[in-house]
Amino acid sequence: MSESAPRRADPDEADAEESSTEATADDARTEPETEEKRVQTGAQSVVTALENAGAETLFGIQGGAIMPVYDAVFDSPLRHVMMAHEQGAAHAADAFGVVSGTPGVCLATSGPGATNLVTGIADASMDSDPVVALTGQVPTEFVGNDAFQETDTTGITAPITKTNYFADRADTVGDVVGEAFAYSASGRPGPTLVDLPKDVTQAETTREPGEATTPDTHRPRTDADAESVRAAARTLERADKPVILAGGGVLKGEASEELRAFARRYEIPVATSMPAVGTFPEDDDLAMEMVGMHGTGYANMATTHCDVMLAVGTRFDDRLTGGVETFAPDAEVLHVDIDPAEISKNVHADVPLIGDAGTVLEQLDDELGSETGMDADAIADGYREWREQCREWKAEYPMDYATPDDEPLKPQFVVEALDEATGDDTIVTTGVGQHQMWAVQYWTYTRPRTWVSSHGLGTMGYGLPAAIGARFAAEDDQQVVCFEGDGSFLMTIQELSVAVREDLDITVAVLNNEYIGMVRQWQDAFYDGRHSASEYSWCPEFEPLAEAFGAQGYTVEDYDEVADTVAAALAYDGPSVIDFRIDPAANVYPMVPSGGDNGKFALSEDQL
Amino acid sequence: MSSEDESGDVGNRGGELAGPRPEERPDPQGRRNKHGVRIDPAVEAEQETRTAVVSALVEHEPGVLAKVSGLFSRRQFNIESLTVGPTTVDGHARITLVVEETDAGIDQVKKQVAKLRPVIQVGELDDHAVQAELVVLKVRGDEPDKVHAITQMYEGQTLDAGPRTITVQITGEQHKIDDAIDAFRQFGIIEIARTGQTALARGDTPTTPGEEPGHAKESGESDDEEPERVETGTYDD
C-alpha cells in the first residue's frame, strides 16, 4: 500500500462532503510530499491499520493503558462511541458485527477494562460473531509483576477468542491489528483480541502497517470435496422426509439467498437454529421456524421425524438438539460447515461437507439429479407426502395464545403489536430470558441480520448495548427495537445514557413481570415453585428511570393502550423505553426440558 | 389452519398451547448413542478408548504451549503426555501429544488442535512410528553393582553416582521405560522425572501431512544450513 496515501483515503460517505474541493483531494493523492507520515507511534499504526482494514465504528472506554490509542483515535475519521461499561462496548461491537457482517471493534484499558470485556467476548465467541477487541496493557517491563491494573489478558481470553495476540513491537503492532481484523471475519468468524502494552503504543515508529491479511496457517475450504457432494446428493435423492436445518453459518456465510433458492427448488421444509432466524422467511410455506428447547412444535416434529437432515452451518448446540440420543434419530445427517471441528462433534455426520455454506449448497444443486436425470420438480415430488405431513403439524401445533380482557397483558401480544407496527427490515435485539423467547416466537422474521440476540452464552443484559451497536450498523431508515426483561434490562441499563448522548433512535420494550421469569418458570416446573431469588418486586419504575436518563418513558398496563403507545414510542426520534406490565404468570411454551426428547416438547407445565 | 379455529382465540387459555400431548405423538424408530452416532445394532457397543500419538507442527511463538494445553483442559481431553521442542526450521516447533480417547475424541483432538492459529499441521502417528521417552531416576546407592547391571540391561547411562544415591537415565519406548522403572524399584526409587513420549513417523512418511523434511515451505534462504541438522531425523536425502 502507498505510504503517501492521504489520511482519509477511505470511501466512507461521511467524508464525501470534504471532497467538495476535489482538486485538493486529488493533489494529495498524486503528490507524495504532503509528508508528515501518518504513522509516528505504535498507537497511530494501530489506528491506521483499523482504517485500512475497513473499520468504521469503535466502541470503548478510556483508561490509563489504552490512552495512547485513544490519543491516536482523536485524529482519526473512525467514529468512537464511548460506552458506559466495557461489557456494553463488547456487546455493541458484537451486534455491529452481526448486523453489518464486518467486525465490530471494541476497546478497553488493561486490568478491569479488559476483564469487563470478557463476557462480551465470550458471547461473541459462542455465536461466532466477528469482533476485534483491543486492550491496553501495562508497559512490557511491568508485565508479569502484578503491576497496577495488570491482568494476563491473553491468558484470560485464550479460550474465548478465535485467537489473540500480545503485541510486542511498535513496528509490527499495526500488522498484528490488521491480521486480527482480517482473521476475525475470515472462515468461521469469531472474536480476536490484541493486547497492547503502553510502551509499544507509545513508542515511535514510522512503519506503515501493511495490508490486513489472515495468518498463513489459516486455510478455510470454500467448496466441499466432490465425492462428499455426490454422496450427499444421492442421499437427498433417496430421501422421503428431508429437512434442512439452517444454522448461524448460513448468516455468517451470506448464504441466505442460496438457502432460499435451494429449499424452494426442491421444496424441502426448513427449520432454523436460533442464530439463523431470519435467514429463511418465516412466512414461507416451507418455513418450520426455530427448532429446539423453545422452538415450534412443528419444527421439533419435523426434525425428529426426518430421514435426511441437511444441516448447514450449525454446531448442534444442546439447546437445539435436546438429548442427543433422541435428536433426529432416523436421519442421515449431511453436515455442511466451514469448520471441520464441528463435524461429528455433537451429532455424527454421515456425510461431512466442509466448505462455505453458499458454495456447498450450489454444489449440491448442481449435483442433484445429475446421475438419475431427475429434474428438480421430480425430486421435489418425492417429498410431497412429507411436506403434507409438515403442514399438518403446523396446523396441529399452532403458536397461539389467548388475550382475555380481564387478564394482565400477554407478552406475545406485545411482540406481535410491535411487529405489526414496524417494517420487515426492522432489527430486533433482545436480552436473555422469557422475553427473548417470546420475541423470537411471535415476531415474523423474514430477512437475515434482523435478529440480534445472545444465543450460545445466553447473556442477560445483551439487548440494550446490542441495540446501540445495531443502530450504528443499520441503515438510517431501519428501525431498531430492543426487547428486554425487567431483570435482564437492569444488568446493562447504564447504556441508556449512551443512547441518549448519541441520540439513537431505539425503542426498548421491557416485558416486565417483576421476575427473573425464565428462572421462575423452571422453579415452578422443577423446584416445587420455590422462588428462590427470582422475584424482582424491588424493580424500579422504568418510565421515570428512562426519563432520568433523558430518554422517553412510557408505561403500559392494558391491551387498549398498546397500539397507541407503540406508535408514539416508534415515532419518538430518540431512545424510548416502554414498560409493559405483563402477566407475571405467563410462561414460554413449547418447551423441551434440558436434555429431553425434542419430539416430546411440552405444551404446558403439566406436560413437563 | 386448525378447523376449530374460528375466533383466532384458541389454545393457551390456561397457559396451554393446542396440540396432541407428548404421549399421543408418534415415536421415531431410531436412537443415537451419547456421541451422536445413530445406533446400528452392528455398532451399538460403546466406543472403547485407545491411545493415540498426535504430532502438531506449530509456530514457535510465546504462549503456544499454553494455548494447546489450555485447549486440552477446557475440552476435557484425556491427555497422557505432551512434549514440545524446536524443529530444524527456524520458528517452528513440534508438539507430540499422547491422548487416551475414543475414536471420536481423537478426531476432535486433532481438529481442535489444528484450529489453533499457531498450528501449522496436525497428524496422527500409527503404531509403526518411532517413539521414545527419556526418564531420569534416582535410587539409593547401597548396591551400586546391581544398579549398574540393571542400567546396562536397559542400555541406560549412569549420570551421577555417590555413596548415598545413584542417578541414571533410560531412553526408549514407553513399555521399556515402564519395565526399567519396575526393575529399579527394588533399590528404592527416591525421585523420578519422565519427559513424556516424543515421536516421528517411520521412513519416508511425513509426520504431519504435507510436512517437508528440514525446511520451511516458503523460506528459501535457510535451506543451506538445514541439511546438516537433519542428521537427527529419519530423512537423509
Side-chain angles (χ1 to χ4, degrees):
Chain A
M1 61 152 291
S2 152
E3 300 242 321
S4 61
R7 191 153 177 69
R8 302 197 169 200
D10 70 61
D12 200 332
E13 298 151 346
D15 295 346
E17 306 163 25
E18 286 203 3
S19 45
S20 52
T21 49
E22 285 249 85
T24 351
D26 278 347
D27 286 351
R29 231 163 257 133
T30 44
E31 284 173 52
E33 42 55 68
T34 323
E35 270 343 288
E36 209 192 314
K37 293 221 174 191
R38 299 167 76 183
V39 171
Q40 291 175 319
T41 64
Q44 287 177 348
S45 181
V46 168
V47 171
T48 305
L50 288 173
E51 291 171 15
N52 292 350
E56 295 163 15
T57 312
L58 317 177
F59 303 91
I61 294 194
Q62 259 284 20
I66 196 74
M67 274 171 69
V69 177
Y70 268 94
D71 191 61
V73 167
F74 199 59
D75 295 326
S76 157
L78 293 171
R79 170 156 202 176
H80 178 264
V81 184
M82 185 77 175
M83 301 295 288
H85 187 286
E86 288 87 354
Q87 184 187 346
H91 290 326
D94 177 342
F96 185 95
V98 173
V99 173
S100 71
T102 57
V105 182
C106 55
L107 290 94
T109 195
S110 63
T115 56
N116 279 349
L117 283 181
V118 164
T119 301
I121 295 172
D123 191 291
S125 175
M126 291 289 271
D127 293 346
S128 306
D129 294 335
V131 168
V132 178
L134 303 177
T135 48
Q137 183 53 280
V138 300
T140 318
E141 59 171 324
F142 293 130
V143 169
N145 293 351
D146 303 328
F148 176 66
Q149 292 197 326
E150 182 192 355
T151 54
D152 172 14
T153 304
T154 52
I156 289 170
T157 59
I160 54 168
T161 49
K162 192 168 162 183
T163 199
N164 63 26
Y165 304 83
F166 182 88
D168 57 354
R169 285 192 300 139
D171 282 347
T172 52
V173 67
D175 290 334
V176 171
V177 168
E179 180 174 305
F181 196 95
Y183 188 45
S184 170
S186 175
R188 176 182 183 170
T192 58
L193 180 143
V194 186
D195 205 26
L196 302 163
K198 195 169 184 179
D199 57 322
V200 171
T201 48
Q202 271 177 332
E204 290 183 6
T205 178
T206 53
R207 200 173 160 279
E208 286 267 341
E211 204 176 317
T213 54
T214 55
D216 295 341
T217 54
H218 174 65
R219 296 177 293 261
R221 279 195 70 135
T222 311
D223 48 348
D225 73 86
E227 199 45 48
S228 300
V229 172
R230 206 175 148 270
R234 297 300 86 82
T235 307
L236 271 173
E237 287 161 0
R238 272 201 315 273
D240 295 318
K241 304 186 288 179
V243 151
I244 296 174
L245 172 62
V250 173
L251 187 87
K252 314 295 181 208
E254 300 288 0
S256 184
E257 281 311 314
E258 288 87 346
L259 170 71
R260 290 164 193 228
F262 188 90
R264 285 167 178 162
R265 181 163 308 139
Y266 302 101
E267 296 183 64
I268 303 173
V270 180
T272 66
S273 72
M274 192 160 74
V277 163
T279 56
F280 193 77
E282 294 185 334
D283 53 5
D284 193 290
D285 186 41
L286 293 166
M288 305 307 283
E289 302 168 56
M290 189 175 87
V291 66
M293 180 175 277
H294 292 299
T296 62
Y298 33 98
N300 279 316
M301 290 304 281
T303 48
T304 300
H305 292 274
C306 64
D307 64 354
V308 171
M309 174 178 280
L310 175 58
V312 188
T314 174
R315 62 189 177 84
F316 293 108
D317 178 79
D318 57 272
R319 282 294 189 270
L320 181 140
T321 60
V324 73
E325 295 89 346
T326 49
F327 178 74
D330 290 335
E332 285 187 75
V333 174
L334 322 175
H335 191 179
V336 181
D337 211 293
I338 201 159
D339 179 359
E342 285 308 331
I343 303 293
S344 299
K345 188 184 78 178
N346 296 334
V347 170
H348 177 75
D350 296 285
V351 182
L353 296 155
I354 298 167
D356 165 72
T359 309
V360 177
L361 284 174
E362 284 176 346
Q363 283 181 286
L364 265 177
D365 185 25
D366 289 343
E367 180 64 32
L368 274 165
S370 67
E371 281 184 19
T372 56
M374 291 165 85
D375 64 4
D377 288 344
I379 294 171
D381 209 46
Y383 312 148
R384 182 182 299 277
E385 265 180 56
W386 170 241
R387 277 192 302 276
E388 193 45 49
Q389 172 66 71
C390 287
R391 252 179 235 119
E392 278 171 31
W393 281 326
K394 280 173 104 165
E396 252 180 322
Y397 301 99
M399 293 300 292
D400 211 341
Y401 61 96
T403 56
D405 295 336
D406 57 346
E407 274 193 51
L409 270 179
K410 292 291 184 192
Q412 299 94 330
F413 182 86
V414 175
V415 173
E416 286 186 341
L418 273 146
D419 188 9
E420 277 162 29
T422 53
D424 281 351
D425 60 352
T426 300
I427 295 170
V428 174
T429 76
T430 76
V432 165
Q434 288 182 315
H435 68 278
Q436 176 190 29
M437 293 303 141
W438 289 314
V440 76
Q441 288 177 335
Y442 288 91
W443 188 289
T444 305
Y445 297 89
T446 56
R447 300 189 189 184
R449 305 194 184 279
T450 57
W451 163 250
V452 186
S453 194
S454 169
H455 311 109
L457 198 66
T459 309
M460 286 174 69
Y462 178 85
L464 178 58
I468 293 171
R471 183 71 270 171
F472 281 100
E475 303 295 330
D476 286 346
D477 57 356
Q478 241 178 326
Q479 279 170 312
V480 177
V481 172
C482 166
F483 285 101
E484 274 288 6
D486 46 306
S488 187
F489 191 35
L490 277 176
M491 292 206 171
T492 55
I493 197 167
Q494 67 275 19
E495 303 301 341
L496 206 47
S497 64
V498 177
V500 170
R501 189 196 65 227
E502 300 285 334
D503 194 23
L504 303 179
D505 196 7
I506 292 168
T507 305
V508 181
V510 186
L511 302 183
N512 183 354
N513 57 8
E514 297 194 1
Y515 276 106
I516 296 289
M518 192 60 94
V519 169
R520 201 258 308 124
Q521 177 170 344
W522 284 45
Q523 286 170 334
D524 286 341
F526 309 117
Y527 292 87
D528 298 327
R530 289 151 53 88
H531 294 168
S532 177
S534 61
E535 292 176 18
Y536 261 43
S537 47
W538 47 274
C539 213
E541 301 250 338
F542 289 116
E543 180 181 341
L545 187 58
E547 304 279 349
F549 274 106
Q552 187 72 37
Y554 307 88
T555 307
V556 174
E557 297 192 350
D558 295 313
Y559 284 104
D560 53 15
E561 301 167 24
V562 172
D564 287 350
T565 311
V566 162
L570 290 171
Y572 180 75
D573 190 17
S576 54
V577 176
I578 316 174
D579 184 4
F580 289 102
R581 304 295 179 84
I582 60 158
D583 179 1
N587 279 340
V588 181
Y589 290 100
M591 176 176 181
V592 180
S594 222
D597 177 344
N598 276 359
K600 304 291 182 201
F601 51 88
L603 297 164
S604 60
E605 189 177 320
D606 67 2
Q607 294 182 3
L608 282 171
Chain B
M1 270 186 275
S2 62
S3 52
E4 69 277 14
D5 179 1
E6 284 155 13
S7 58
D9 195 11
V10 299
N12 208 27
R13 202 166 284 281
E16 184 166 341
L17 287 168
R21 299 177 57 83
E23 61 275 13
E24 294 161 5
R25 296 175 207 150
D27 269 322
Q29 299 295 309
R31 279 291 181 272
R32 293 177 187 274
N33 66 17
K34 65 180 161 72
H35 304 290
V37 181
R38 265 182 309 144
I39 296 173
D40 278 331
V43 288
E44 190 165 355
E46 282 297 301
Q47 291 189 46
E48 300 280 324
T49 60
R50 66 177 174 91
T51 301
V53 181
V54 175
S55 186
L57 201 58
V58 304
E59 291 184 347
H60 203 182
E61 62 177 44
V64 62
L65 189 58
K67 284 188 165 110
V68 173
S69 58
L71 171 75
F72 274 73
S73 68
R74 74 175 175 271
R75 292 203 179 267
Q76 300 281 291
F77 291 136
N78 197 354
I79 190 164
E80 302 286 302
S81 77
L82 187 158
T83 62
V84 61
T87 70
T88 53
V89 180
D90 265 359
H92 285 188
R94 183 185 308 283
I95 295 178
T96 307
L97 303 145
V98 181
V99 290
E100 172 88 30
E101 283 286 339
T102 61
D103 280 339
I106 290 163
D107 192 45
Q108 266 297 304
V109 166
K110 290 188 281 185
K111 286 168 168 175
Q112 292 291 348
V113 171
K115 220 169 121 168
L116 296 172
R117 174 183 48 84
V119 174
I120 301 162
Q121 291 285 0
V122 176
E124 183 184 345
L125 296 171
D126 56 23
D127 295 342
H128 197 52
V130 181
Q131 300 180 32
E133 182 175 4
L134 178 140
V135 63
V136 177
L137 55 81
K138 189 187 287 177
V139 297
R140 297 202 189 284
D142 304 336
E143 298 170 287
D145 291 350
K146 281 189 178 177
V147 171
H148 185 65
I150 303 240
T151 306
Q152 283 199 317
M153 273 167 59
Y154 285 97
E155 299 161 305
Q157 267 183 292
T158 305
L159 300 177
D160 178 51
R164 297 162 64 88
T165 66
I166 299 168
T167 305
V168 302
Q169 77 167 37
I170 314 282
T171 56
E173 291 191 3
Q174 195 177 13
H175 65 85
K176 175 183 165 189
I177 302 279
D178 290 343
D179 290 351
I181 290 169
D182 270 351
F184 279 106
R185 275 189 214 287
Q186 57 181 300
F187 310 114
I189 297 175
I190 302 164
E191 284 178 328
I192 197 163
R194 294 177 72 154
T195 60
Q197 283 193 81
T198 189
L200 287 174
R202 195 174 291 271
D204 281 344
T205 316
T207 296
T208 64
E211 186 175 348
E212 291 172 38
H215 55 84
K217 277 192 199 95
E218 289 144 59
S219 69
E221 331 114 307
S222 53
D223 261 2
D224 306 333
E225 45 177 302
E226 301 308 342
E228 279 102 39
R229 302 186 56 193
V230 174
E231 60 194 313
T232 53
T234 53
Y235 275 73
D236 41 12
D237 31 316

